[in-house]
Amino acid sequence: MKFKIAFFSLVFILNQALFSQKYKIEKIPEWVKEVNIPSKSLFAKYDISLGYYLSLSDCQVNLENNSYFNREVRNVVSYSGITKASQLFVTYDTAYQHLKIHHLFIWRKGEKIDRTGELDFKILNNEYNLHQGLYMGRITAYINLNDIRKDDQIDFSYTIVGANPIFGNEKYIFATLETANPIDLISLRVLYSKEKDYKYKCVNRDSTIQIFDTLVGNLRQIEIIGENVKAFKFEDNMPNWAMPYKYFTLTSFNSWKDVNTWAQNVFALKKEPNLESVFKEIFTGGETTDEKIDKIIHFVQNEIRYMGIESGIGSIKPFPPEQVVKQRFGDCKDKSLLLVSLLKKVGIAEAYPALVNTFMQDFTSNLSISNQVFNHCIVTFVYNNKTYWVDPTLEQQGGNFKNMSVFDYGQALVIGIPLDSLTKMAVIDTSSSIDIKDEFFITSFTEPAKYEILSIRHGMEADRRRMILEQHSAEDLSKYVTDDLKKYYPIVNRVDDIVINDDIKNNEFSVKYKYELDGFWQDGDKQSDKRYAGYWIFKFEPQTLYQDLNVSPCETRKTDYAILYPLNLSYKVIFHFPKDLLIYDKYTKCDNEAFFFDEKIEQISANSFQVSYNYKTKVKGIKAENYKKIC
C-alpha cells in the first residue's frame, strides 16, 4: 500500500537499515522442492530482448512460515546482455523481513562453477522517493558479478522470510506468469495448511500453463508449471487496469465485508481524540456548518504536510489524529483519519476513510478479495443527504466542498460500511476545463508579429496548475513556454512578464503570456515549389493539442486503449493579417462513444479569421474491439 507514516529520526532509521539489517548465507530450506534447469530451449537469439532471458524462474512460497523462495537462471545469449545479467539485487522491507542467500552457480559449457563463497553484497539504501515525502524503509542487497561471459547461465537463489504483522493471519499472493521476455520454464509452488480455505485462480491461462493441486502431508500444494512461455507483447497506451497477461492470485479472504472488518480494526482509535486546538486555530466563531466543513478540509489539505514512511506496520496503520496535528505531517491514511475525526466533531456523523486502488480504479473488484489490493486512502461523507468525496492529500484546491474536484478512483472500500461489495464513487466532473486562446497580431510580412497566449483553467485543471506553481516559480513556467515556442518559430522574444490571476473561490486560474515572433514568413518566390510563387507563406499547426492527442497506429488491438479523462479542452487561435483576405468557413466534427472533437474555421473580419478546436473525452479507455473504428 502507498500508505505513509511519520518518522522521528531519519538518521537513526537509516543507520539501522544499513548496518543492522544484514543477510545470511544458508542452505536451501528443506521444504523447497528442487526444479531442474531445462536442457533445451525453443527460443532463438532474436526472440530475446536485453541480451538475456530466464531459462528458469522458480518461486516457492510457504505460507505457514511466511517464507518466499526465489531462484532465477539467467541465460546470457549476447554480449549486450552481460552487463544487465551480471547485476543481482534483492529488495526487502527491513522492518519485518530478513534475507537468506543460498547459492550462486555459473554454468559454463556444461560445467558448474560455485561462486557462492565469493558473494559480497553491498547493502544500498534506495530512498529515491524522499523528495516526494516518502520513506520506504527498504534496502537492496546488490552485487555486480565478475567474469560473466556470453552463453553463461547465472543460477542464483535466495529466500525472504517475514510478513507484515499488520495483516495478521491473512494471506495474499499475486504472481505474473509471463514477462516481456520468453521463459523456458516458469515454476510457482505454494504450500499452506490443508485446513485453510484459501481461494486461488490462474487468470488468462492457456495450454502452456498447467496447475496441480495435491496434498503433501498436512499441507496443500499448488503447483503452476509453464513451459516455453513466450514473451508477452505490450501495446502502447495500455491502461493500468488492463491485465491481459497470465497471472496467479491467492487470498484468504472470502468477502469484502471481511476486509472491511479488518480495516475498521486498523483504523480504530483507542480513545476519542482531543482536537480543540484545531478549532481554535481555524474557526473565528459564528461559522455555518458549510463554512466549518470547508475550513476543516483546507486545514487538513494545506496545513498538514504530506510525509510518510512506507515500512512495517506503519505503512498501513494510521497515526492518531492528535499526533498528526502535533507533528503537522502525515500520509494519505493519517490525513484521512484526521479529516474524518474533525468532520464528526462538527456534526457530520457519516464520515469515513475509504481505500482505493489508483491503478485498477473501476476494475478493483476484478482482483482477488484482499486487504492488500489498495494503495491510497481518501474520505467520503454524507451531508444533507448528499455524498461527497475528498482527497485530503491534494493541496491548494479551489472552490468549496460542494464543487471541489476529486478524481474518480472508481471503486472504494468505505471503512465502516461493511458491504459485500465495493462502493462505486460515481464522481462526475463537470467543472474541470481548459480554455486557451492564442492571438497573432501580424502587421507586416517582414516585421515581428505580436503573439499573446491566454490560458484559463477551471476545476481540477486549476488545482493542478496551482500545485505546479507551489513547486515552481512563474519564471520557470514562462521559460518552459518560451522554450517550447522556440521549437516552432525561428525568433521568439518575451516582451512582458507573465500575468497570473488566481480566483481560488471560483477555482479559476489564468495565465497570460506576451511575445514577439519573427522569421516565420517564407517568401514563396524563393521556394522550390513554384506553386508558392508570388505568395507569402506562413505554416501553422495546433501544437497545443498535441500534448493531449496521442498518435497511435489504427490497428486491431488485443488490449484496451487508455485516454486522458476527464479532459475538456477548448482551443481558439485568432490571426490578424496586414491585408484583407477571404477565408472559406469550414466545420469538421468527430463524435463517438470515446470523445468529441471539432474544428471550426471562420472569418471574423476583413483581415482576421479564427480556428477553434474543442476536444472532450467521455471515458477512461476505449475497448479493444472498438479501437480501430474510433482511431
Side-chain angles (χ1 to χ4, degrees), residues 29 32 317 324 464 540:
V32 172
K317 187 172 180 61
V324 176
R464 288 171 176 164
F540 167 78

Side-chain angles (χ1 to χ4, degrees), residues 454-466:
L454 176 61
S455 168
I456 304 176
R457 298 169 186 266
H458 304 86
M460 187 179 294
E461 298 293 346
D463 295 335
R464 288 171 176 164
R465 187 60 49 157
R466 198 176 290 117

Side-chain angles (χ1 to χ4, degrees), residues 264-280:
Q264 288 182 66
N265 291 329
V266 171
F267 277 72
L269 295 171
K270 293 182 179 180
K271 63 177 183 177
E272 183 71 19
N274 183 353
L275 300 172
E276 287 303 314
S277 63
V278 175
F279 298 139
K280 289 180 181 180

